[in-house]
Amino acid sequence: MKDLKKIIFLGEECTGKSTFLNVGLGLKFNTIYNPTIQDYITSDQFQNILFIDTAGSPDLDRLRPSNYYDLSHIVLCFSIPSQQSFIKVAEKWMPEISYYMDLTPITLLGLKQDLRTTNSVTFEQGNDLAKEINATRYIECSALNPDETRQILESIVVATNDQQSNWCHTRNKSNVTESSIEDGDHKTISSSITMESLNIMDHPSVPQLDDIYSPKLHHVPINDKTQPNILDVTSSDLDTRNDKVQPSYFTRGLQKQQLSKPNDSTPISTEQSILPLRANNSKSTKTGLKSWGNKLLSGTKYVETGYKNNLTVNTTTTAVDLHSQEVVKIKPLETKVRNLRLRAENANSISCPKMKKIWEKLKTKRNELTINFNEIKRDEMNCKMITVRDHVLKRALLISTMNQTQHPWEIQISSPISISIQKGDAFVIELWIRCDTFATTTVTLEQNYASYEKLIHYTINNMNSIWTKYEIPFIASFGIEKGQSQLVFFLGYGKQTFELGQVRLIKHTNSNSLPPLRLEYDGMHERSPWRLEAEINIEKYRKSNLSIVIKDQFGQPIPNVNIKIRMKKHQFLFGTSIRSKLLLQDKQYQDQVKKYFNTIVFENELKWHHWIQQQSNQDDHFRLDWTKQAMEWCLKEEIAIRGHTLVWGNWDHTPHHIPHDQRVYTFLKDFIKDIVGTLKGQIIHWDVLNELFQNQDYIKYLGKESIIEWLKLTKELDTKTKIYLNDYPVPDWEVSIKSVQDTIEYIQMNHGVLDGLGIQGHVNETPWSIPQYLVMLNRFHQYNLSMVLSEFDTIIKDQELEAMFLKDMLIATFSHPSMIGFLTWGFWDNANWRNQGLFFNPDWTAKPALKVYDDLVFNKWWSNCDGYTDLKGVYDTRVFQGEFEIHVQIANQTKIYKATVGKDDLSLDITL
């Protein structure tokens, strides 16, 4: 709908957003809390208005930004009786809004007015906060008053319709001159762009992938010199079929050249120049320099340059003309530092303590915004042009990074794109890469402003020692105006060196002309070396010898006895996360759990805030009765239960009534005693510590020694359970691996109780490198812990590729001696936090991944054996470890015996 306007409702859990919206639209007041994931609501009462009701739950922080696009109005809500939700407006929501929706008008809305007490937020406090966050107005109401609620909602809609549409961002623009020629389906655009200095910039990562088209990767043999009948629209590469002009990488001569278009003898005159290359590092500022007053900060050298308030800083640099090899002096450059809104005279003018603290923290980072090329070469990365010999490429960029950053985008090179992109446009990113060792980079084409929304986000980690050409096709899921996009390579994956040559963006007017669709990951090929070792290890570590000896009552062997061995259950844990309500109320959901899994973990029911939430047994999603009944069903079906999780040390994952200080120690201790005591004897593993890597709020107040106390307390309460650390190390993210290693070593050095490690395994759109995954497992193997892949899922759009990757992850995990389990995080699209379950579509039709899983777990790794005893009355075989029924048939009679085969060989003596 062309004139559709979006109004989004934001705020903490239980603030009353959904109830306000429902009552305002004429629905009944709902007295039972029903947590929202995200709802899109339209009403005949308000034409061309889309209301977006979002979740305030920290569990959905990564999902919520998918709605932050093309918004007309923000309704930022807090609960008047809840001081905590009021504080979160400044502490959490304003930084998030400023990050993604900096210029969208805000209405601050106080809800549950009828519950106001002497300890509640006052009208004056709400009004002051509205001024400090530059909201258009502050309103209070109670949804118990439907007439007033409807009037307020109508006023918000009226304000939205009356607002002018000129709050667009002022964006950074390069000095671009263009010439273009159109012929049929093809268009060539050449650009002359002033080179910019290397900057450190804040760069949020918002993977907004194409919902229509999955990025694929196609390898082209290096001896294939054919080119598609399409033209470069980014860097004006000269046609490689023109013998007079050689192709180049990020390099354009400063003189005029003649460019011939394929199938056309008419030359094209085009101005060539050196493309800008920027290395960015977002350590300098994580949320952007923002303040909440109304006036420009005085006493600084900064000036406002428009509504977006970009800073202009003059720097000087040099470049090399790669045709003449001469050093060229570039005139003083303008480096745009984005996201500056300095609107307070000084920090003292900010009355809100939380906002004042944010401003003071950000103000100290002011001088870190811009550094020169030499500083980046020495401290973070080194980029230099090199000559390529004996290849169609003549120049390449040699990239060396010195350290791994907390996020890969913190070190990057980028180049602006000078064309407009329309929704539905088909493109291919074409590039050449060579690497003597192992290196990783992520290629993304994104907006160069605001949320940096991405059209493509693809990681390459399968680099070869010979020059390899990659073609990454994609279809634009949204449009970007001319000069407002950029091609970026994320480089912060650790110390590595590789060569990058001739990067081009190629536009196809027909999506059918895109290259063959194939995406690869390291280790996927059938002849990959890791596979042979994995098969050997599976035979060695997952199978044991089973010997059945049949004797008569006098101890004499009985030969030629018919033996049938039937496997009933794996010893290895093959499991999934579940939801108790679905397990009890959806028969098909229950049947699939029973059929495919021998282990479960509750997705949310045992987390601290949900454990408290379900105590009343009145909630529509979480009830203690449901949880207990689900556990009883699992134990009856002999399905093991993992406990997740006791300590998730972040205030966002803490119940709202818990104070954010040292007092959390007592509350947390009481929670552990309550839940572990209640479920004693029913949980095989407890994830006592969850995601310590980036959740350190508790430890900052209680000290690292509190970790040892939590582990010890859990073991004392349930001596039979195994104590686990659950975290998310990623194979190509050294910082994450080292953090988990440091935690394990601290626990073991201080004699803490730790039996196992849970590796979460949430994979995004790019599959992991299987060899790197195995290397990571080997690094943890030294600590003598049992390990579980505890939360595996992906958002790979290609279901066939997802199935192939699942197969390899299963094989690699099953082959490693320290691994004892593989659990998926959900299995059905309709019951998965990312709406992409591995095994079933919403209508319960099976996905390719289910066939792969079923074939491995219940066929290839499943032992059913038939045979006869020899002259010594012995039948020997080798089986996968697990539980078995042994059928012994003699004289038309069959007796059934049960046996459990573990790591040690089993000899079973049967007397008939």
Side-chain angles (χ1 to χ4, degrees), residues 264-317:
D264 191 343
S265 60
T266 305
I268 304 170
S269 177
T270 174
E271 181 75 15
Q272 305 292 329
S273 70
I274 299 175
L275 275 180
L277 187 63
R278 295 194 305 251
N280 300 335
N281 186 320
S282 71
K283 291 181 185 177
S284 58
T285 166
K286 291 184 178 179
T287 57
L289 290 178
K290 301 179 185 302
S291 63
W292 321 105
N294 297 313
K295 298 181 180 180
L296 181 68
L297 181 67
S298 61
T300 73
K301 62 180 180 180
Y302 301 132
V303 295
E304 291 196 35
T305 59
Y307 192 72
K308 184 64 179 175
N309 300 328
N310 290 324
L311 268 184
T312 299
V313 181
N314 289 330
T315 59
T316 304
T317 190

Side-chain angles (χ1 to χ4, degrees), residues 851-887:
K851 182 179 179 180
V852 166
Y853 177 85
D854 187 60
D855 182 59
L856 285 177
V857 177
F858 300 107
N859 182 21
K860 188 175 181 180
W861 297 338
W862 196 257
S863 295
N864 289 331
C865 309
D866 294 348
Y868 293 86
T869 57
D870 59 17
L871 294 176
K872 297 180 179 180
V874 178
Y875 175 71
D876 289 326
T877 187
R878 189 167 174 81
V879 297
F880 284 98
Q881 295 153 10
E883 296 178 6
F884 293 85
E885 283 185 354
I886 299 172
H887 299 245

Side-chain angles (χ1 to χ4, degrees), residues 646-682:
L646 296 181
V647 182
W648 199 353
N650 186 297
W651 299 128
D652 288 339
H653 305 301
T654 306
H656 296 301
H657 70 281
I658 305 299
H660 292 188
D661 54 34
Q662 290 88 342
R663 289 173 290 177
V664 71
Y665 174 82
T666 302
F667 286 97
L668 181 58
K669 189 174 181 179
D670 290 343
F671 162 65
I672 294 175
K673 288 181 178 179
D674 178 27
I675 191 170
V676 177
T678 301
L679 305 180
K680 181 179 179 180
Q682 302 176 72

